[in-house]
Amino acid sequence: MVPPELKDILLADDSGKDVELILTALQQHNIANRVVVVRDGAEALEYLYREGEFAQRRGGNPAVILLDLKMPRVDGLEVLRRVKADDNLKTIPVVILTSSREERDLVEGYRLGVNAYLVKPIRFNEFMEAVGRLGIFWVLTDEPPPESGGAG
Amino acid sequence: MLTFGYTPPEFEKDDPPAVRLPMKILLVDDSPDNLFSVRTVLEPLGEELILANSGKEALGFCLDHDFAVILLDVRMPEMEGFETAESIRACHRSKDTPLLFLTGCRGDERLFPGHDLSPVDYLFRPVVPEILQSKVRALVELSRSAGLLRRQAETLAKAEQGFRSALEAAPDAMIVTRQDGTIVMADSRTAALFGFSGRERAAETAVNGAGRTPDSTARLRGVPSSGSDFPIETTSSPLYADDDVLVTSAIRDVSERVRAEESIQRLNADLERRVEERTAELVRSNDALRRSEDQLRLALDAAKRAEQEVRQLNRGLEERIRDCTVLLETANRELEAFADSAGRLASIVESSEDAIVGETLEGIITSWNAGAERIFGYTKDEAIGHSVTILAPPEGHDEVSQILDRIRRGERVRHFEATRRRKDGQRMVLSETISPIQDAAGRIAAVSMIARDITERQASEMEIRQFNEALQQKAHTLGEDIEGFSYSVSHDLRAPLRYMDGFLELLKNHIGGGLDEKGRHYLDTAIESAREMGVLIDDLLRFSRTGRGDMRVTKVNLANLVKQVQQELATDFRGRKVVWTVEPLPEVAGDPALLRQVLVNLLGNAIKYTQPRAEAAIAIGCREEGGEWVFFVRDNGVGFDMRYGHKLFGVFQRLHGDEFEGTGIGLAIVRRVIARHGGRTWAEGVVDQGATFYFSLPGAGAAEASDTGSSGVSQTEIERSSHRGSA
């Protein structure tokens, strides 16, 4: 029996350290989906539109997009705006991950239709929990349980 | 037939009405004190009291006076009471006088005999005043009536005497009868008087008449054998014969006397009537006199009043004259002062730097001072008589006539800035105050204009405005800088901290088992420090956020806000006993999110610093003071030392050490938020007794106290038994 393909998780963050921590957190929560890491908004859009480097990528839309706000070239809010304006993409849950508690970011994010907002806590353990919850909610509820799909 | 009408003699009737004369009472006692006290008791009786100190003295008085009663002391040294009493009885004048013995010894009363007319009585000492009084009164009255009886008897005796002598002298008719009335003998006068000669008729007369009652006098009516009856008076007396008692009667015709008496009675009646008439007349004339007296008195009163009024009027007139004189003097002085001040005013007007211009209601210039000449360049002669429009540029003429319209309506135009034109055509900016001038009747009669050249002032104002704008721009830039700074702090400083914490945590997991205790301690301290720095940065950001951004001011119901914050903070005091006292709170104008932050910090502090208390008491209330709301949050916590109170609201200032959590940013945020709302913050505290934090918000009049929170003071006791809070 062929296990159903697990959808990708798209993680856009220009900070290697954050990426490392997030990946660790997801791993520790047994999220088995493949995590595609891009370093800015432009790459994220290339992935979503199968352009450039990602022209030949397999699979459909990602299960969830984890977006850092402050990124070079194209920032998180711009990616969010583009995703939510595209009929093809707008059903993808978008979670903004940011260290900012600035209100204007929050307001703008909600205005653009973000599905969740995670201010990265300074405490790693809290961060772990938050990432875990995110994964369970946005990845697992949308997909068959990982054990039925096997490890990716 | 002879019949006699009987009229008995009456004595008392003719007596004058009894006048109550005082009776004499003799008091005999060797003790002056006793005499005095008995006298005091008897004085109210109104009788005459005579005092004797001894039996001998008493006897002396008895020879000279008649006493109604004699009071005797039984025991006396020289002559004892009873001995004295014997002597008094022996004396003629006092033989019948009632005696009243006063004794201290029972048994004495049997020793002295009394008799009917001279009763004897005893009183035992101590004497009861009422009893003494009433006994003496009774004895006095007895004497009084005895005296009366005696006088009556004497009168009777006198009358008898008189009559007897009259009888003897009168030429009366005489008859002698037996006791059965048979006439034994009648003289010729009797026959003449009654008109009979026979024995039978005379005997009849005697039976019916005088002979039946010997030794008496009677007034009867004689009935003659013919003719009408007539009044007679008979006087009978017994005539002792051998073995019989005959009656001899003298009969007198008293017709003349009766007639005389009747005529006297008539005369008397007439006299009485006339006396009555006269009395009535007298009463009438008296009344008339009294009436005229009354009228006279009224007239006199009226005259007196009139006089008084005239006097008052005179006085009033004098006062008025005096007042007028004073007024006149004052007026004179004022006039002089006015003349002085008018002169001074004129020189003030003339020397004023401002242009002071008088105009008619139509705007024709009537006066012109030196200031006007200097500012506008026209001389007095050139200006007076011209319209004020010469002072305005052509485009301002309409405005000038509009202003005149307003003045004519009674309005005043103050500090009106207008462009004016000098004689040489140069333009300038003036500040004008234009006022209506009223005449004595209050009508608007003229216009005054005071104008000041503010061209220079305007220029400097412009400079200040520009400077202010520059400052604002700078402040704005600075604000943006701060915003950018805190944004970058938020992003750029928090991230490395997160990495430190994250990777230290990963490191700990990675090599956790292999570390000795010291190694774990180093690692934990590093992790902990990173976290502390993170909290500090978060607080700093929070603080910087409260000072930036626009305030969204709406009506905020503080009572509801307090409820929300209480619920929000519930986990902080879980397991503790907290007594909340929340007074009614008003609605205020403010930013709900910011004010919520204020309450979170203040209530959070109150909860935090009452932690050592078995029962925390937190009160929230509000007073209206001087046009602003003053709110307070009071707790019974650890309090603070007022010497360091000024540090409370500073950033990262803490008055307590590690025993209480916190970075010391909360009150700094409270102060900043309240300051942004235009209010103030302060605190009062006593170490170990509690603290009260106050903040004020302006405009108590703008919002009214809302009762949506609670009616009256509500006291809610929140007690949670489980889960003693670890925080």
Side-chain angles (χ1 to χ4, degrees):
Chain A
M1 193 176 118
V2 179
E5 189 85 0
L6 281 175
K7 286 183 179 177
D8 287 345
I9 290 173
L10 176 61
L11 169 60
D13 197 326
D14 62 330
S15 157
K17 292 165 193 151
D18 264 333
V19 169
E20 192 177 347
L21 289 173
I22 290 167
L23 290 178
T24 310
L26 289 173
Q27 206 173 3
Q28 290 198 0
H29 281 91
N30 299 318
I31 307 290
N33 304 50
R34 184 171 74 111
V35 180
V36 178
V37 177
V38 294
R39 312 308 295 261
D40 58 42
E43 280 183 21
L45 290 172
E46 280 176 5
Y47 171 87
L48 290 169
Y49 287 106
R50 300 168 192 275
E51 290 166 353
E53 197 185 328
F54 298 100
Q56 304 302 320
R57 75 168 173 87
R58 63 189 174 96
N61 286 338
V64 62
I65 306 169
L66 304 178
L67 264 180
D68 187 28
L69 269 185
K70 255 184 85 177
M71 289 184 293
R73 299 203 289 177
V74 176
D75 69 12
L77 286 176
E78 176 61 18
V79 176
L80 176 65
R81 199 182 55 73
R82 295 274 295 271
V83 167
K84 291 300 173 187
D86 189 307
D87 284 346
N88 220 0
L89 301 177
K90 67 183 176 190
T91 52
I92 308 171
V94 179
V95 177
I96 287 179
L97 298 171
T98 179
S99 55
S100 168
R101 290 188 175 196
E102 286 300 297
E103 209 175 307
R104 58 174 185 191
D105 295 341
L106 263 166
V107 171
E108 183 66 5
Y110 281 116
R111 199 180 63 77
L112 293 174
V114 73
N115 299 81
Y117 213 104
L118 174 64
V119 177
K120 299 170 193 162
I122 284 171
R123 303 186 73 160
F124 179 68
N125 289 340
E126 287 175 26
F127 183 59
M128 287 278 288
E129 277 174 36
V131 170
R133 277 198 302 277
L134 272 178
I136 288 161
F137 187 77
W138 294 112
V139 180
L140 302 187
T141 53
D142 207 36
E143 295 285 338
E147 59 265 26
S148 63
Chain B
M1 190 178 150
L2 266 174
T3 54
F4 296 90
Y6 181 70
T7 309
E10 290 174 19
F11 299 102
E12 290 178 354
K13 218 176 181 177
D14 300 317
D15 275 3
V19 174
R20 194 184 176 281
L21 294 167
M23 304 289 277
K24 289 176 179 166
I25 301 171
L26 179 61
L27 312 177
V28 190
D29 202 313
D30 62 315
S31 151
D33 287 349
N34 285 350
L35 275 180
F36 177 77
S37 63
V38 172
R39 192 181 72 179
T40 310
V41 170
L42 296 181
E43 258 170 357
L45 295 179
E47 313 295 350
E48 184 181 349
L49 300 175
I50 292 172
L51 312 181
N53 285 318
S54 67
K56 271 185 187 162
E57 200 183 349
L59 278 177
F61 284 130
C62 283
L63 293 174
D64 298 335
H65 300 276
D66 289 319
F67 289 107
V69 60
I70 297 171
L71 275 75
L72 267 170
D73 184 18
V74 173
R75 314 273 172 182
M76 285 189 293
E78 264 181 59
M79 193 187 219
E80 276 222 327
F82 292 142
E83 203 183 331
T84 310
E86 301 272 8
S87 308
I88 287 169
R89 280 284 165 81
C91 178
H92 175 71
R93 285 187 93 149
S94 56
K95 67 180 192 305
D96 295 330
T97 309
L99 298 173
L100 180 56
F101 289 107
L102 300 175
T103 176
C105 183
R106 289 262 172 207
D108 281 354
E109 76 267 24
R110 280 189 294 270
L111 295 178
F112 198 79
H115 58 82
D116 285 351
L117 276 177
S118 174
V120 170
D121 207 342
Y122 297 86
L123 268 182
F124 296 94
R125 295 190 200 278
V127 170
V128 179
E130 286 78 14
I131 292 176
L132 177 65
Q133 247 184 19
S134 56
K135 271 212 164 140
V136 171
R137 185 186 288 120
L139 291 170
V140 168
E141 288 311 317
L142 194 66
S143 283
R144 210 189 294 278
S145 22
L148 195 63
L149 279 174
R150 202 163 46 239
R151 278 199 307 280
Q152 285 176 358
E154 279 163 11
T155 313
L156 193 62
K158 259 187 237 157
E160 261 176 19
Q161 188 69 41
F163 185 71
R164 203 171 294 140
S165 55
L167 176 71
E168 281 161 13
D172 292 340
M174 296 295 294
I175 58 169
V176 176
T177 57
R178 288 198 187 88
Q179 277 192 313
D180 63 0
T182 320
I183 294 171
V184 179
M185 185 200 81
D187 66 357
S188 57
R189 272 174 302 191
T190 307
L193 194 61
F194 288 93
F196 65 85
S197 54
R199 212 172 249 255
E200 292 79 12
R201 303 292 294 270
E204 200 179 345
T205 305
V207 168
N208 291 311
R212 295 297 294 271
T213 50
D215 223 359
S216 70
T217 305
R219 187 167 278 195
L220 306 165
R221 297 208 57 89
V223 183
S225 51
S226 63
S228 54
D229 60 348
F230 55 93
I232 57 169
E233 200 173 74
T234 67
T235 303
S236 306
S237 47
L239 185 67
Y240 299 97
D242 297 334
D243 56 350
D244 201 1
V245 180
L246 300 175
V247 178
T248 166
S249 299
I251 302 169
R252 180 184 295 177
D253 180 353
V254 291
S255 299
E256 285 300 317
R257 207 170 84 197
V258 166
R259 261 196 299 280
E261 275 174 10
E262 279 171 0
S263 117
I264 285 170
Q265 267 170 15
R266 272 198 306 279
L267 280 172
N268 269 342
D270 186 41
L271 198 64
E272 270 173 34
R273 187 178 45 77
R274 284 169 62 187
V275 164
E276 268 171 30
E277 281 171 10
R278 280 295 165 87
T279 311
E281 252 173 61
L282 203 63
V283 167
R284 277 198 299 278
S285 54
N286 261 342
D287 285 351
L289 198 63
R290 202 171 298 129
R291 276 199 298 278
S292 51
E293 246 179 48
D294 286 348
Q295 279 167 356
L296 195 64
R297 200 172 298 126
L298 285 173
L300 274 173
D301 285 351
K304 233 176 267 169
R305 276 198 301 277
E307 199 189 309
Q308 228 159 9
E309 273 170 32
V310 167
R311 207 171 292 138
Q312 266 170 6
L313 278 173
N314 270 340
R315 265 203 302 276
L317 210 59
E318 280 167 23
E319 274 170 28
R320 290 278 295 279
I321 290 171
R322 258 201 308 280
D323 289 351
C324 284
T325 315
V326 170
L327 277 177
L328 211 60
E329 282 166 8
T330 316
N332 270 335
R333 273 199 301 278
E334 278 173 5
L335 204 62
E336 280 164 24
F338 179 70
D340 278 358
S341 66
R344 273 199 298 277
L345 278 176
S347 63
I348 288 170
V349 166
E350 199 49 36
S351 63
S352 171
E353 285 291 300
D354 294 340
I356 300 176
V357 178
E359 306 162 20
T360 65
L361 288 178
E362 289 71 38
I364 306 301
I365 296 165
T366 53
S367 72
W368 192 258
N369 75 340
E373 200 170 314
R374 189 177 54 75
I375 289 172
F376 291 106
Y378 294 100
T379 66
K380 199 178 253 183
D381 290 342
E382 286 168 337
I384 286 178
H386 284 90
S387 169
V388 284
T389 48
I390 61 166
L391 308 176
E395 69 271 19
H397 286 185
D398 280 353
E399 196 180 62
V400 168
S401 57
Q402 278 165 16
I403 287 174
L404 281 171
D405 280 346
R406 287 173 63 187
I407 299 300
R408 281 193 286 263
R409 285 199 298 271
E411 289 177 36
R412 189 171 178 201
V413 179
R414 286 171 193 273
H415 308 302
F416 174 74
E417 290 184 9
T419 304
R420 293 288 176 256
R421 194 180 61 169
R422 280 174 58 86
K423 187 186 173 188
D424 57 16
Q426 192 189 324
R427 307 224 168 175
M428 61 201 162
V429 179
L430 298 188
S431 168
E432 294 180 348
T433 294
I434 304 158
S435 319
I437 293 176
Q438 294 175 345
D439 64 10
R443 285 185 300 255
I444 297 164
V447 183
S448 85
M449 180 187 78
I450 301 173
R452 174 171 295 184
D453 188 348
I454 55 163
T455 313
E456 279 176 28
R457 196 183 82 194
Q458 236 188 8
S460 58
E461 268 175 13
M462 185 71 82
E463 248 172 60
I464 289 170
R465 211 172 295 134
Q466 281 165 355
F467 185 65
N468 271 344
E469 275 166 16
L471 266 182
Q472 271 167 7
Q473 187 57 43
K474 232 178 212 174
H476 188 69
T477 315
L478 208 60
E480 280 180 345
D481 285 353
I482 292 172
E483 209 166 330
F485 168 74
S486 46
Y487 192 81
S488 72
V489 163
S490 175
H491 275 91
D492 304 344
L493 291 188
R494 280 177 99 253
L497 272 172
R498 203 168 59 244
Y499 304 145
M500 277 167 66
D501 185 71
F503 285 101
L504 284 167
E505 203 65 54
L506 290 178
L507 176 66
K508 197 172 146 191
N509 291 344
H510 189 64
I511 56 162
L515 278 173
D516 60 0
E517 198 168 320
K518 196 168 259 180
R520 261 201 309 278
H521 170 69
Y522 293 154
L523 203 52
D524 285 345
T525 309
I527 290 169
E528 191 51 44
S529 302
R531 283 170 191 173
E532 273 171 24
M533 191 172 168
V535 171
L536 283 173
I537 286 171
D538 280 351
D539 281 346
L540 193 61
L541 281 172
R542 212 145 51 82
F543 177 66
S544 108
R545 264 203 305 278
T546 57
R548 289 178 291 114
D550 296 329
M551 290 219 302
R552 284 187 297 269
V553 178
T554 60
K555 272 194 173 180
V556 182
N557 184 326
L558 278 174
N560 286 346
L561 207 53
V562 165
K563 272 187 186 171
Q564 290 171 19
V565 171
Q566 278 176 321
Q567 283 164 8
E568 188 177 315
L569 295 173
T571 51
D572 290 357
F573 57 90
R574 185 174 293 160
R576 287 176 52 200
K577 189 173 180 185
V578 178
V579 178
W580 293 94
T581 306
V582 184
E583 293 178 14
L585 297 174
E587 256 183 13
V588 296
D591 184 313
L594 291 178
L595 290 179
R596 181 194 176 85
Q597 191 59 47
V598 166
L599 288 176
V600 166
N601 290 344
L602 290 180
L603 299 192
N605 274 356
I607 290 165
K608 180 160 63 178
Y609 291 106
T610 52
Q611 214 159 359
R613 302 285 179 256
E615 183 180 299
I618 300 173
I620 302 150
C622 176
R623 308 272 177 273
E624 199 184 333
E625 277 172 24
E628 57 180 8
W629 294 112
V630 174
F631 297 87
F632 65 85
V633 176
R634 180 175 296 130
D635 66 62
N636 64 341
V638 297
F640 62 89
D641 188 336
M642 285 290 274
R643 278 180 298 175
Y644 307 117
H646 62 280
K647 287 189 164 185
L648 279 172
F649 294 95
V651 179
F652 295 137
Q653 294 283 0
R654 302 201 64 207
L655 298 187
H656 295 278
D658 288 343
E659 70 270 30
F660 296 105
E661 280 192 344
T663 55
I665 201 79
L667 290 176
I669 288 173
V670 167
R671 171 158 284 182
R672 177 168 275 194
V673 168
I674 294 301
R676 289 192 77 188
H677 281 82
R680 297 165 296 123
T681 35
W682 68 100
E684 289 167 3
V686 177
V687 171
D688 263 349
Q689 288 186 25
T692 307
F693 287 86
Y694 297 91
F695 64 92
S696 70
L697 288 173
E704 298 200 341
S706 83
D707 52 4
T708 47
S710 55
S711 60
V713 174
S714 75
Q715 203 169 57
T716 324
E717 193 169 299
I718 299 172
E719 196 171 4
R720 291 166 209 247
S721 52
S722 58
H723 309 304
R724 178 161 284 274
S726 59

